[in-house]
Amino acid sequence: MASVVVWKGSLWQERCFSPVRRRKAVRAYADGHIDVLTNVELFGEGFDLSSLAGRDVPIECVSLLRPTMSLSLHLQQIGRGLRPHEGKSDCIVIDHAGKIERHGLPADIEIGEIDNGTKTWG
């Protein structure tokens, strides 16, 4: 996916980039110098864009390319874009991996399903 991101100001991050270079890229995104920030297995569990940037930064679009059987991972990845932010009313979720078909939309999932792994479709 990173090789097809051609928008002005886009930057591709890869796993081998140093933590210092990643922080610089995140700050550049937060400051509006980069329009699109893509990654592969970099910004997973524990990633907090606002914390790294030092201020509240909205995520307006999440593009899912990696399939997962994990409901909690699915919700975590979408949840990055669903965090509230002043002036933000929605988030675009582009699902290339079939995660929403497999797991459903966040609003349709009950918390107990995450805890016990019993996602069922009525």
Side-chain angles (χ1 to χ4, degrees):
M1 176 64 177
S3 63
V4 300
V5 175
V6 293
W7 299 301
K8 180 182 175 216
S10 66
L11 176 69
W12 174 47
Q13 290 291 289
E14 59 186 59
R15 194 182 295 235
C16 64
F17 283 0
S18 72
V20 171
R21 191 167 176 191
R22 279 182 242 161
R23 279 192 297 277
K24 286 181 181 179
V26 166
R27 286 192 189 109
Y29 173 77
D31 291 342
H33 301 297
I34 296 171
D35 299 319
V36 178
L37 187 63
T38 63
N39 78 93
V40 177
E41 301 294 330
L42 263 184
F43 304 134
E45 295 177 31
F47 175 72
D48 185 348
L49 173 63
S50 295
S51 176
L52 285 173
R55 67 179 183 289
D56 196 22
V57 179
I59 296 175
E60 298 173 359
C61 180
V62 176
S63 183
L64 306 168
L65 286 94
R66 175 193 182 280
T68 183
M69 297 293 288
S70 169
L71 176 59
S72 59
L73 180 59
H74 166 68
L75 291 175
Q76 184 180 45
Q77 291 172 342
I78 290 177
R80 298 193 188 295
L82 298 181
R83 290 178 183 153
H85 187 271
E86 187 176 329
K88 177 181 157 181
S89 61
D90 54 21
C91 173
I92 298 168
V93 177
I94 304 169
D95 181 14
H96 300 277
K99 291 180 181 188
I100 292 172
E101 183 178 345
R102 175 183 300 278
H103 299 294
L105 293 168
D108 299 332
I109 299 168
E110 296 183 22
I111 297 300
E113 296 168 336
I114 298 168
D115 296 337
N116 64 22
T118 60
K119 175 67 184 158
T120 59
W121 300 97

